[in-house]
């Protein structure tokens, strides 16, 4: 009886270890696919709460530029500029990792290696990786759906204090992006009021 129980525990441990390793392998390959040195670009639909918006995102390393109908966000790796069209106002800040993740869905490729556990299952022909924070992090939980042939994410679901946001990704492609597009240029918004929140 005890031997059977012991064997069951051993196999359960081995299975969970292999399962976790395969999840990490998928995340590693996804990070490599997204981390194109010259940049990547894609379109997305963001849904959550009252939100339902289409937009585009350009990424180069940790830098990104996101555009939705009423807001444009630039991040050069340190500073973030957020332009709100209806107010003709730009807020300047140095965001936290959790704040960056809420804006840039691909930021998880820098977060998953530290402070998160991950498991994986196959759903509808895709990998679905579940990331969960080990401690008190701003971003508690997320699911990443990955194409098993290309390792490109097709959907990211993020859990935060107010609930879940779902980001459906399409038209992902590599691009040669200039560093200048990740910084706010006041010449393009001459009437905008700049509010420094740093």
């Amino acid at each position: 009886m005890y031997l059977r129980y012991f064997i069951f525990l051993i196999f359960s441990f081995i299975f969970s270890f292999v399962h976790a390793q395969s999840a990490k392998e998928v995340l590693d390959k996804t990070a490599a696919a997204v981390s194109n040195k010259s940049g990547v670009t894609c379109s997305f639909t963001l849904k959550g709460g009252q939100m339902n918006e289409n937009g585009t995102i350009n990424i180069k390393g940790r830098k990104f530029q996101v555009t939705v109908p009423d807001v444009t966000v630039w991040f050069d790796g340190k500073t973030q500029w957020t332009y709100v069209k209806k107010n003709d106002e730009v807020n300047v800040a140095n965001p936290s990792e959790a704040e960056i993740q809420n804006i840039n869905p691909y930021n998880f490729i820098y977060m998953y290696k530290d402070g998160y556990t991950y498991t994986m299952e196959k759903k509808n022909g895709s990998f679905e990786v579940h990331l969960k924070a080990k401690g008190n992090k701003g971003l508690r939980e997320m699911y990443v759906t990955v194409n098993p042939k290309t390792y490109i994410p097709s959907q990211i679901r993020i859990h935060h204090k107010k609930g879940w946001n779902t980001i459906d990704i399409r038209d992902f492609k590599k691009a040669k992006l200039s560093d200048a597009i990740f910084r706010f240029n006041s010449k393009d918004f001459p009437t905008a009021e700049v509010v420094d929140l740093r």
Side-chain angles (χ1 to χ4, degrees):
M1 180 71 177
Y2 290 109
L3 180 61
R4 190 179 299 171
Y5 181 69
F6 180 73
I7 291 170
F8 172 77
L9 285 178
I10 291 293
F11 274 100
S12 295
F13 174 78
I14 291 170
F15 177 76
S16 64
F17 179 76
V18 170
H19 206 56
Q21 286 295 102
S22 62
K24 184 181 183 304
E25 184 176 285
V26 168
L27 289 173
D28 288 343
K29 289 180 179 179
T30 300
V34 173
S35 302
N36 181 49
K37 288 183 180 179
S38 61
V40 294
T41 184
C42 70
S43 301
F44 66 87
T45 300
L46 170 63
K47 296 176 184 176
Q50 310 247 328
M51 289 187 298
N52 188 345
E53 295 186 312
N54 293 313
T56 59
I57 184 168
N58 297 303
I59 305 165
K60 187 177 182 182
R62 292 187 68 87
K63 303 175 183 130
F64 64 85
Q65 185 253 340
V66 178
T67 303
V68 292
D70 297 319
V71 179
T72 303
V73 181
W74 300 262
F75 181 69
D76 67 359
K78 179 184 177 183
T79 303
Q80 178 179 296
W81 296 264
T82 305
Y83 175 70
V84 182
K85 189 175 182 180
K86 66 178 180 180
N87 300 340
D88 197 24
E89 181 179 284
V90 179
N91 293 317
V92 187
N94 292 332
S96 67
E97 285 289 345
E99 289 169 333
I100 292 170
Q101 183 62 53
N102 281 327
I103 300 165
N104 176 11
Y106 289 116
N107 194 60
F108 76 87
I109 67 172
Y110 300 105
M111 296 174 65
Y112 76 92
K113 293 180 182 178
D114 182 34
Y116 287 87
T117 60
Y118 22 83
T119 56
M120 184 183 71
E121 56 184 292
K122 203 155 187 182
K123 282 190 175 179
N124 302 318
S126 297
F127 295 129
E128 185 180 78
V129 182
H130 180 206
L131 292 90
K132 201 165 186 179
K134 292 178 183 176
N136 187 21
K137 287 185 172 284
L139 184 68
R140 293 184 256 176
E141 192 176 5
M142 72 171 8
Y143 288 88
V144 182
T145 303
V146 178
N147 183 311
K149 293 180 180 177
T150 63
Y151 291 94
I152 301 300
S154 58
Q155 186 184 80
I156 300 171
R157 288 187 289 140
I158 302 168
H159 184 236
H160 51 86
K161 291 178 182 178
K162 295 181 180 179
W164 288 89
N165 284 345
T166 300
I167 302 156
D168 292 310
I169 299 158
R170 59 192 180 277
D171 304 326
F172 183 97
K173 57 190 175 186
K174 295 179 180 179
K176 290 187 178 180
L177 302 175
S178 164
D179 287 342
I181 72 168
F182 303 105
R183 294 180 61 86
F184 170 73
N185 187 341
S186 58
K187 291 179 182 178
D188 295 332
F189 303 87
T191 62
E193 179 185 359
V194 177
V195 179
D196 197 328
L197 303 174
R198 289 172 292 183

